[in-house]
Amino acid sequence: MDAEGAGAARSWVEFGRELRWWRRAAGLTQSQLGQRVGYHHSVISRVESGLREPPAGLARRLDDVLATNGALASLGAGRGLRDAAAPAGDPTLFAAPGVLTADGVIPPGVPVWPTRLPYAGIACPLHGDAGCAVPAPGDVLTTIARLVRRGPAELPTEPVTDLVHGLAALLPGYTQATVEQVSTEIVGSIERILHLVTSWAEAVHAAGRSPQSLLRLAAGYAQLAGRLRMQRGQSAVGMAWFGHGLRWAGVSADLVAQATLYSDFCTLTRLDRDGASSLRYARALGAVDPRRGWVGTVSHLYQARAYGLMGDAARCERQIVLGRRGLSRLDERDRAEAPWLVEHAGQVRAESSIGGALRDLAAATGDRDAARRGAHATQRALTHLPVRMRPTYLLLTIRLADCWACAGDPGAAVALAAPVAREALATRRATIVGELRGLHTRLGRGWGDLPEVRDFSDRLRALTG
């Protein structure tokens, strides 16, 4: 087989793995799925096994049946994970989970409101980096409430500049709220705005005008909705929003949103302990635009996490080196597009990723030196963490405890985790609770007979009822 044929075969294997994941998530057998898409179960079996290319048109039919929001069609046979775009005439382009309701929209609840765009890495969806003025927050929220109340029939048939600017200005506040607030209740407001924006985009498109600026907005809001649904443990809904966001980012040529959405796919698959899928998404992230330093840096950090989960020490360590090197070489465009990756914020993101990668590697291989280095990286992340980011503090504190458990020091692990266990469980955030459960399991397996570990386990059982 030549190189081109080998590459296509590898992509069929990737397609098959994704198909198997979605089919199982839908609770269908290969025979049941085959009946619904009009193919014999043997065809489904061979596609899932990567032994044949999906027949023409099958990916779209599978997306419809499995409600993947275009994930399989965007993956495509022989194309990898890069092409997330869909034609603007696609009738499913403006579809979104759930329905548009007349409920109110709650503001973010944090004192973040830019006077001009770009701000915090969010550019104007209409004018890019032109320095657009933003209307007052009260005016924006009043307009949104009126449009939500009136419904899709009353939406404008063109992108109204002030409202587009206002919706973009809300994004930094909602983004900040997702990392500062323990509660995930704002997801309802974010999803109501999302339905408003996609309905508006559809009305604009039907009037013969370009909906791209609105789809850029939708991609940003879909990312937040997906993150919050993921934190609630609603991984299927989170995956749906990420899939929609990736399509909207592709259609509107928003490379920044595409890259960051792939990073969310990495997190979601890592929650399922699926290192292979997490690695594929991390590589897809890096392929969005290799010329952007921040894209490569984040790709290396997420590849390190995937390799750590898979127990591949050499590749994990290599990606850590590349990630740190990339972080030190970011230029002005990187700083403008990814301000969350520079200065203290960048140190938190990088060191927390490295700490997580080394902890996962230690858990998979028993390498206590890796665990100790993971503890040091996680401690560095905590040192630079702003006090207001309480959810991240809880997650990193429990990860630090787990690093010490992997390093063979259960006493230090319990001393770190016990004071925050109640608060961590009360967040109900999947990432935080997942870290705590992993720590609890590890302590029970290795040191379940120690009095401090028994006391810690008893406290967790009492807190969970």
Side-chain angles (χ1 to χ4, degrees), residues 128-181:
D129 298 334
C132 300
V134 173
D139 295 340
V140 174
L141 291 169
T142 299
T143 303
I144 291 173
R146 184 175 68 250
L147 291 174
V148 169
R149 187 169 57 252
R150 289 180 178 179
E154 300 294 325
L155 290 170
T157 56
E158 61 182 2
V160 179
T161 302
D162 276 355
L163 184 53
V164 171
H165 289 165
L167 286 165
L170 271 172
L171 271 170
Y174 281 121
T175 301
Q176 192 70 16
T178 64
V179 298
E180 289 186 11
Q181 297 173 359

Side-chain angles (χ1 to χ4, degrees), residues 315-374:
R315 288 188 173 92
C316 177
E317 299 280 4
R318 175 61 176 163
Q319 293 301 318
I320 288 173
V321 170
L322 293 173
R324 283 196 167 124
R325 184 181 301 167
L327 192 70
S328 69
R329 297 177 176 177
L330 298 182
D331 60 23
E332 289 307 310
R333 182 174 70 170
D334 297 321
R335 292 171 179 271
E337 291 183 345
W340 38 265
L341 199 59
V342 300
E343 298 178 348
H344 288 324
Q347 289 297 316
V348 171
R349 184 173 289 265
E351 295 301 328
S352 64
S353 293
I354 291 167
L358 291 170
R359 186 278 312 276
D360 290 340
L361 179 64
T365 64
D367 185 344
R368 293 190 171 184
D369 179 64
R372 285 188 287 271
R373 290 189 291 121

Side-chain angles (χ1 to χ4, degrees), residues 49-71:
S49 300
L51 298 176
R52 66 162 294 174
E53 181 179 3
L58 178 58
R60 290 278 181 199
R61 295 162 78 176
L62 290 166
D63 280 332
D64 290 341
V65 169
L66 298 174
T68 70
N69 303 296

Side-chain angles (χ1 to χ4, degrees), residues 440 451-465:
H440 182 216
E452 60 266 41
V453 172
R454 285 201 306 269
D455 289 346
F456 181 63
S457 296
D458 290 343
R459 287 184 59 189
L460 288 183
R461 280 192 289 270
L463 290 171
T464 56

Side-chain angles (χ1 to χ4, degrees), residues 251-265:
V251 170
S252 59
D254 189 337
L255 297 181
V256 174
Q258 287 182 50
T260 53
L261 279 158
Y262 276 130
S263 74
D264 289 312
F265 275 114

Side-chain angles (χ1 to χ4, degrees), residues 141-431:
L141 291 169
T142 299
T143 303
I144 291 173
R146 184 175 68 250
L147 291 174
V148 169
R149 187 169 57 252
R150 289 180 178 179
E154 300 294 325
L155 290 170
T157 56
E158 61 182 2
V160 179
T161 302
D162 276 355
L163 184 53
V164 171
H165 289 165
L167 286 165
L170 271 172
L171 271 170
Y174 281 121
T175 301
Q176 192 70 16
T178 64
V179 298
E180 289 186 11
Q181 297 173 359
V182 171
S183 170
T184 58
E185 291 304 313
I186 59 170
V187 69
S189 294
I190 290 171
E191 290 178 346
R192 280 188 283 279
I193 293 175
L194 257 169
H195 284 283
L196 172 68
V197 171
T198 53
S199 297
W200 185 11
E202 186 171 22
V204 168
H205 178 64
R209 298 180 175 89
S210 171
Q212 283 202 345
S213 61
L214 298 172
L215 294 179
R216 290 190 190 102
L217 276 174
Y221 278 100
Q223 184 167 33
L224 294 181
R227 287 176 179 176
L228 291 169
R229 290 295 178 184
M230 175 180 67
Q231 292 292 0
R232 287 184 164 199
Q234 298 166 318
S235 57
V237 181
M239 180 71 81
W241 278 126
F242 292 151
H244 276 298
L246 202 55
R247 292 182 70 205
W248 295 328
V251 170
S252 59
D254 189 337
L255 297 181
V256 174
Q258 287 182 50
T260 53
L261 279 158
Y262 276 130
S263 74
D264 289 312
F265 275 114
C266 290
T267 302
L268 190 57
T269 49
R270 200 167 57 243
L271 280 173
D272 288 336
R273 313 299 294 173
D274 186 351
S277 293
S278 188
L279 179 61
R280 289 199 298 276
Y281 285 122
R283 288 173 172 170
L285 189 168
V288 167
D289 187 354
R291 296 168 298 178
R292 283 172 157 84
W294 73 267
V295 170
T297 299
V298 177
S299 174
H300 290 311
L301 293 172
Y302 278 81
Q303 287 186 62
R305 293 225 57 183
Y307 281 125
L309 195 61
M310 297 162 69
D312 190 329
R315 288 188 173 92
C316 177
E317 299 280 4
R318 175 61 176 163
Q319 293 301 318
I320 288 173
V321 170
L322 293 173
R324 283 196 167 124
R325 184 181 301 167
L327 192 70
S328 69
R329 297 177 176 177
L330 298 182
D331 60 23
E332 289 307 310
R333 182 174 70 170
D334 297 321
R335 292 171 179 271
E337 291 183 345
W340 38 265
L341 199 59
V342 300
E343 298 178 348
H344 288 324
Q347 289 297 316
V348 171
R349 184 173 289 265
E351 295 301 328
S352 64
S353 293
I354 291 167
L358 291 170
R359 186 278 312 276
D360 290 340
L361 179 64
T365 64
D367 185 344
R368 293 190 171 184
D369 179 64
R372 285 188 287 271
R373 290 189 291 121
H376 297 321
T378 304
Q379 184 61 64
R380 285 193 292 272
L382 280 164
T383 300
H384 293 291
L385 186 70
V387 174
R388 65 181 183 273
M389 295 176 63
R390 190 64 182 178
T392 305
Y393 171 81
L394 294 171
L395 183 144
L396 292 181
T397 299
I398 296 167
R399 181 175 297 167
L400 179 60
D402 201 15
C403 286
W404 287 118
C406 290
D409 192 341
V414 170
L416 283 162
V420 300
R422 178 186 294 274
E423 187 181 359
L425 286 171
T427 68
R428 300 181 183 273
R429 285 180 172 245
T431 49

